[in-house]
Amino acid sequence: MNRFSKEFAVQEHTYPLEAWCIRETSFDTDSHFLDETLFALGNGYIGLRGTGEEGYSGPAGTSLDGTYLNGFYESEPIVYPEAAYGLAKVNQFMLNVPNAKGIELWLDGERFNLLTGSVQTYERVLDFRTGLLTRVVEWTSPQGRSVRVRSRRMVSFENKHLFAIELEVTPLSDIDNLRLVSALDGAVKNLEAGDDPRVGSAISGPTLHMIDSEQSDSFAALVQKTHNSGFTLISATESVLSAGLPAVTAQEGQRLTQSWTLAARAGQPVTLTKYGSYYSSRDYDAKELMWRSKDTLSSAAAAGFDALRLAQEQYLADFWQQADVQIAGDDALQQGMHFNQFHLLQSVGRDGRTNISAKGVTGEGYEGHYFWDTEIYIFPFFLYSKPEIARKLLEYRYAGLPKARERARQMSHDKGALYPWRTIAGEECSAYFPAGTAQYHINADIAYSIKTYMEATNDQEYLIQAGAEIVMETARIWTGIGSYDREGRFCINQVTGPDEYTALVNNNYYTNAMAQMHLNFAASIAEQLQVEAPAEFTRIAAAMALDANEPAAWRRAASLMNLPYDDALQIHAQDDSFLSKKVWDFANTPKENYPLLLNYHPMVIYRHQVCKQADVVLAALLLSDQFSLDDKRRDFDYYEAVTTHDSSLSTCIFSIIAAEVGYEDKAYDYFMETARLDLDDTHGNTHYGVHTAAMAGTWMGVAYGFAGMRVVGGELHFAPKLPKQWQHYTFKIHFRGALLEVHVQPGQVEYRLLQGEVLDFTHGGEAVALTLSQPKQSRSLA
């Protein structure tokens, strides 16, 4: 374990260690902000933070009652003190949209509020198998009125526009005037980032203006529009009271309410079921939004909450049947694994128009932007667990290809496409280009995800329809930005690699090595399609005005790529200058000065040997066959000593390589930090949203790390190990139309073919063939 990591043997966990849920047994304002993130619900489009239906009136800075829509954004001009040509001009940021989950409860004029009166019992559970957030509270008001409240909340995986809440109120004493108020509140705003650029946006005040509203006995809708991006949004609710009483409607500004008042007897429950929907003109014509809202809500109300709940359970049962990672021997880890997988499913866009942001739909960190996190960290989880979702993520990148072409022209490339470092709708939104636009490796990262997708699926339809064009268009950028030096080496200058504590360097190893892979892959695609689908190749080549000599130029640049290596240290140099810099003075850097980016000017950091996250070590994973085991060990040893892991993307990669080179204890410690990063809030900022890349890194740690899974040249390989802390572990992967279960236990691993007719792979270099007639084989662990 290195000096920057935490000691997990004494880690105190916030929640009981249960495999399939997180359970909160007391209400605490000190943890409320964090709890809102951890108990958030989503479906890849809608995200509801885990604030109670009744709202929250605790101390300032202990809540952000947010509702978010993946891909729905406002835009704003980026103002630079000093402008320069080609800088990103417009920012896009995810909006906090109207709060449709609010339900007030009044007992003879006293409002249900956990910060007043007294709480007799309290339990809240987020169940990963049902997708339900359930809360049961017994509360006594300041005047002695008692009530039992049970709420169940879900965000539908079957209909991305829909969520539902069932609130059951059981008086424990007679209540003459029990009043329930269903609210739809459009007076919301986004969180201001302040001094931490990772937190939120720079916008203060409302970002949506109301243009209309509609309300009836059970239905309420707000029609709003963004100021700059020009999107129309309809937020709507349908509220049904079990007692069948008519509602009293009211409107105050952008807040619509329906209320019911009745006499309630002790022990007799009253249930309010609320269905909510969000539709925007980013998905449909604005004229369609109202009828779509009404149709969705009326259909949901007709079906009822239990029907929606059963559909949710069935969807999740299918998901877990494919994706579940079972670990015996470490309860904290099993809980962390399921929590992470569940939140990934809640966060990922599944419509081909949206992606997955760094914080999912749980908070406003990084403004809802999409990064390379998707392709390098998150994509593998979905590729091998739910490949249909992986394809949708690739479809999103194809939809963004026209904007990537535009960005390439802005960056003075006369051909090709350059994908943005951070974006929502396809435009570059990074205002700090040294650690943003300069990360040209995103082109290779996207190409790498397409390459791994093709190796795992052999989806030729996708390659012809979209993948080939993306790969070849983005490959052109390398021959545009790179050049040959006097020694004939192909060099790529003034770029930034994954390590954002080192910017604008020449020949970043990761960038050059990934560019080499990209160029070779693009040339291979061109060669393959010319032979196997000549008509389609002609169409694609014509669409991108591909010169017949370009594939050969890609091959030449790849073969002569400059890949820095230090002969004295026998390590791959992170870039041309990294090893000539002085090492950061870690011994005299106070703990409170981490992360460094919040406490030192970028130039101070850039002058030192210090890494924010895995860079060369990441290349050793992605391009595994290009490194010997000794190379990996030496690279790991050197870069571990100068890496702070200030980025949540780092520890999972170090865990995987540590496992491969035989550093078992380090592999496990790094893995544990990744697995429970959000549940234990080890980075201290989960209250602003979960870390989706680290969550996916947990899955990578099992499959790539302890199971030694690699795909080399289209061939699947395993080299499993069993951590001493575990009794056994099991995971499944989709590969070439087959579903494979891998079960690792003391002394041996069992491979089982669950779907498909045949699957060939290697175990520790030994060939294994599973078939319908022999679907299971066991092999010894090394």
Side-chain angles (χ1 to χ4, degrees):
M1 203 63 180
N2 81 349
R3 66 175 69 92
F4 306 108
S5 301
K6 302 180 187 299
E7 179 56 60
F8 291 96
V10 296
Q11 175 70 54
E12 293 184 5
H13 304 298
T14 305
Y15 308 110
L17 299 181
E18 300 175 72
W20 287 104
C21 70
I22 53 172
R23 183 185 309 270
E24 182 183 48
T25 55
S26 63
F27 178 75
D28 186 356
T29 58
D30 289 342
S31 65
H32 186 268
F33 204 163
L34 174 63
D35 294 335
E36 284 181 329
T37 295
L38 301 181
F39 286 91
L41 287 180
N43 63 0
Y45 179 63
I46 299 173
L48 306 179
R49 280 177 64 83
T51 314
E53 291 80 13
E54 71 278 5
Y56 179 76
S57 58
T62 61
S63 175
L64 173 62
D65 191 2
T67 301
Y68 308 107
L69 304 178
N70 188 4
F72 183 76
Y73 66 92
E74 175 61 306
S75 58
E76 58 173 348
I78 299 174
V79 179
Y80 297 95
E82 295 184 30
Y85 180 82
L87 296 180
K89 294 181 178 180
V90 176
N91 187 31
Q92 299 160 352
F93 57 96
M94 183 174 68
L95 290 176
N96 187 2
V97 300
N99 180 1
K101 65 180 182 289
I103 302 174
E104 297 175 14
L105 172 62
W106 298 78
L107 313 178
D108 290 334
E110 292 184 283
R111 183 171 177 174
F112 174 69
N113 183 344
L114 298 183
L115 294 171
T116 64
S118 59
V119 177
Q120 272 71 52
T121 63
Y122 177 98
E123 182 177 77
R124 179 165 62 161
V125 178
L126 175 59
D127 191 309
F128 312 140
R129 285 181 290 195
T130 65
L132 291 184
L133 177 63
T134 303
R135 186 179 61 152
V136 179
V137 181
E138 290 187 6
W139 177 79
T140 300
S141 74
Q143 297 299 317
R145 298 172 179 85
S146 297
V147 67
R148 182 178 185 268
V149 178
R150 186 189 76 158
S151 66
R152 297 192 294 174
R153 183 188 302 178
M154 58 167 283
V155 182
S156 173
F157 284 117
E158 298 289 352
N159 185 336
K160 79 171 193 176
H161 301 281
L162 178 68
F163 75 88
I165 298 171
E166 180 189 74
L167 187 78
E168 180 187 81
V169 180
T170 305
L172 301 179
S173 55
D174 289 350
I175 307 295
D176 293 333
N177 290 284
L178 176 69
R179 184 166 178 251
L180 288 159
V181 181
S182 175
L184 174 59
D185 189 359
V188 296
K189 65 179 184 178
N190 276 55
L191 182 71
E192 293 183 60
D195 293 331
D196 189 342
R198 303 168 299 170
V199 169
S201 71
I203 288 295
S204 61
T207 52
L208 288 161
H209 66 276
M210 189 171 75
I211 56 177
D212 200 2
S213 65
E214 185 175 327
Q215 196 170 17
S216 66
D217 180 57
S218 61
F219 178 77
L222 287 171
V223 184
Q224 296 171 303
K225 196 166 185 177
T226 59
H227 292 276
N228 299 319
S229 56
F231 297 127
T232 300
L233 172 68
I234 292 187
S235 312
T237 61
E238 181 84 14
S239 302
V240 181
L241 187 70
S242 60
L245 298 175
V248 176
T249 63
Q251 178 171 354
E252 183 178 346
Q254 297 190 60
R255 188 172 190 268
L256 309 180
T257 59
Q258 290 136 326
S259 61
W260 301 263
T261 304
L262 65 157
R265 303 279 74 87
Q268 297 182 5
V270 177
T271 302
L272 176 62
T273 308
K274 184 173 187 177
Y275 307 92
S277 70
Y278 295 93
Y279 279 90
S280 88
S281 59
R282 227 201 143 195
D283 291 324
Y284 302 100
D285 187 280
K287 296 178 182 179
E288 301 179 16
L289 302 182
M290 187 61 78
W291 74 257
R292 287 185 180 277
S293 301
K294 291 180 177 179
D295 182 65
T296 292
L297 294 177
S298 62
S299 297
F305 187 90
D306 281 337
L308 298 178
R309 175 182 59 79
L310 288 173
Q312 192 84 335
E313 288 184 15
Q314 290 168 2
Y315 183 94
L316 284 167
D318 175 70
F319 170 73
W320 289 117
Q321 190 277 329
Q322 300 173 70
D324 184 19
V325 177
Q326 302 170 28
I327 299 169
D330 193 321
D331 294 339
L333 181 53
Q334 181 67 89
Q335 182 184 51
M337 177 64 69
H338 286 155
F339 174 83
N340 291 344
Q341 292 179 284
F342 180 69
H343 263 287
L344 284 168
L345 183 65
Q346 290 199 127
S347 297
V348 67
R350 295 176 288 137
D351 55 11
R353 294 171 47 82
T354 53
N355 200 285
I356 180 170
S357 72
K359 295 290 189 178
V361 284
T362 65
E364 297 173 29
Y366 294 108
E367 303 176 281
H369 289 164
Y370 313 137
F371 294 79
W372 72 309
D373 304 22
T374 298
E375 281 73 27
I376 298 303
Y377 291 84
I378 299 168
F379 185 82
F381 167 69
F382 287 108
L383 173 60
Y384 297 114
S385 300
K386 289 279 284 184
E388 65 272 25
I389 294 179
R391 174 160 175 166
K392 290 299 181 182
L393 293 172
L394 295 181
E395 289 176 8
Y396 165 82
R397 289 301 190 186
Y398 186 67
L401 188 57
K403 294 290 178 62
R405 288 188 173 108
E406 290 179 18
R407 184 57 179 161
R409 304 302 168 270
Q410 293 167 3
M411 295 299 292
S412 302
H413 301 292
D414 59 3
K415 56 186 176 182
L418 177 62
Y419 276 94
W421 180 243
R422 53 190 296 175
T423 190
I424 294 177
E427 294 87 355
E428 178 63 82
C429 295
S430 176
Y432 186 64
F433 75 86
T437 300
Q439 297 203 49
Y440 269 65
H441 65 82
I442 191 169
N443 267 16
D445 302 330
I446 292 170
Y448 186 87
S449 70
I450 294 172
K451 182 173 182 287
T452 57
Y453 177 78
M454 292 305 302
E455 290 172 335
T457 68
N458 196 29
D459 186 350
Q460 294 297 318
E461 179 189 44
Y462 168 76
L463 183 68
I464 290 171
Q465 290 179 352
E469 191 174 353
I470 293 175
V471 172
M472 293 191 293
E473 272 284 56
T474 51
R476 289 171 140 178
I477 295 300
W478 300 120
T479 51
I481 189 177
S483 60
Y484 294 92
D485 66 11
R486 289 178 294 178
E487 298 176 29
R489 299 173 302 181
F490 188 78
C491 299
I492 301 174
N493 297 323
Q494 288 298 287
V495 295
T496 299
D499 169 30
E500 295 175 351
Y501 283 173
T502 308
L504 298 178
V505 297
N506 296 341
N507 297 309
N508 168 254
Y509 183 90
Y510 175 92
T511 301
N512 286 21
M514 290 290 283
Q516 182 184 56
M517 172 279 304
H518 187 178
L519 290 163
N520 280 325
F521 182 44
S524 295
I525 287 175
E527 294 157 4
Q528 172 195 340
L529 294 184
Q530 286 181 75
V531 174
E532 298 177 3
E536 295 291 355
F537 178 77
T538 299
R539 173 187 61 80
I540 296 168
M544 55 185 288
L546 182 70
D547 187 280
N549 297 320
E550 285 188 71
W554 299 337
R555 287 286 193 201
R556 180 171 182 265
S559 67
L560 296 171
M561 186 67 67
N562 184 359
L563 299 173
Y565 187 83
D566 187 276
D567 290 320
L569 295 173
Q570 293 185 292
I571 65 168
H572 296 90
Q574 185 167 299
D575 57 68
D576 282 353
S577 63
F578 187 81
L579 298 179
S580 66
K581 299 174 182 177
K582 64 180 178 180
V583 175
W584 185 272
D585 185 4
F586 298 109
N588 293 306
T589 301
K591 290 183 179 180
E592 60 269 21
N593 282 15
Y594 295 96
L596 300 183
L597 79 162
L598 297 183
N599 295 284
Y600 300 93
H601 190 282
M603 291 299 294
V604 175
I605 299 173
Y606 296 161
R607 293 189 187 108
H608 290 83
Q609 278 191 58
V610 57
C611 298
K612 182 183 180 186
Q613 63 204 80
D615 194 298
V616 170
V617 176
L618 178 59
L621 168 62
L622 303 183
L623 305 170
S624 183
D625 59 316
Q626 298 179 26
F627 293 73
S628 70
L629 193 62
D630 286 339
D631 282 334
K632 292 176 183 177
R633 185 178 295 108
R634 287 191 297 266
D635 286 342
F636 180 96
D637 290 343
Y638 189 88
Y639 289 105
E640 184 193 31
V642 295
T643 301
T644 66
H645 307 294
D646 284 349
S647 168
S648 62
L649 280 61
S650 189
T651 53
C652 64
I653 304 303
F654 273 80
S655 172
I656 293 166
I657 300 302
E660 184 174 8
V661 302
Y663 296 159
E664 296 179 5
D665 290 342
K666 288 184 177 183
Y668 200 80
D669 287 341
Y670 278 127
F671 180 69
M672 280 300 295
E673 178 163 357
T674 304
R676 294 192 59 92
L677 188 149
D678 285 314
L679 276 178
D680 293 331
D681 194 22
T682 60
H683 277 235
N685 61 359
T686 296
H687 47 290
Y688 294 121
V690 298
H691 298 76
T692 54
M695 288 178 154
T698 310
W699 182 91
M700 292 169 66
V702 172
Y704 292 174
F706 300 122
M709 176 180 154
R710 301 287 187 274
V711 178
V712 179
E715 296 182 355
L716 182 61
H717 300 260
F718 293 98
K721 299 177 181 178
L722 181 66
K724 61 186 178 184
Q725 295 88 343
W726 299 354
Q727 298 164 13
H728 56 80
Y729 65 99
T730 305
F731 69 99
K732 304 167 188 174
I733 67 160
H734 287 271
F735 194 82
R736 296 295 177 96
L739 180 61
L740 174 70
E741 181 182 83
V742 182
H743 177 71
V744 183
Q745 57 192 4
Q748 71 173 19
V749 56
E750 179 181 278
Y751 297 102
R752 184 188 296 267
L753 185 65
L754 302 179
Q755 296 176 13
E757 296 184 358
V758 62
L759 183 63
D760 297 321
F761 57 92
T762 68
H763 164 86
E766 177 186 356
V768 180
L770 300 181
T771 64
L772 287 173
S773 60
Q774 190 179 11
K776 181 176 73 172
Q777 292 190 39
S778 298
R779 292 291 188 274
S780 298
L781 294 184

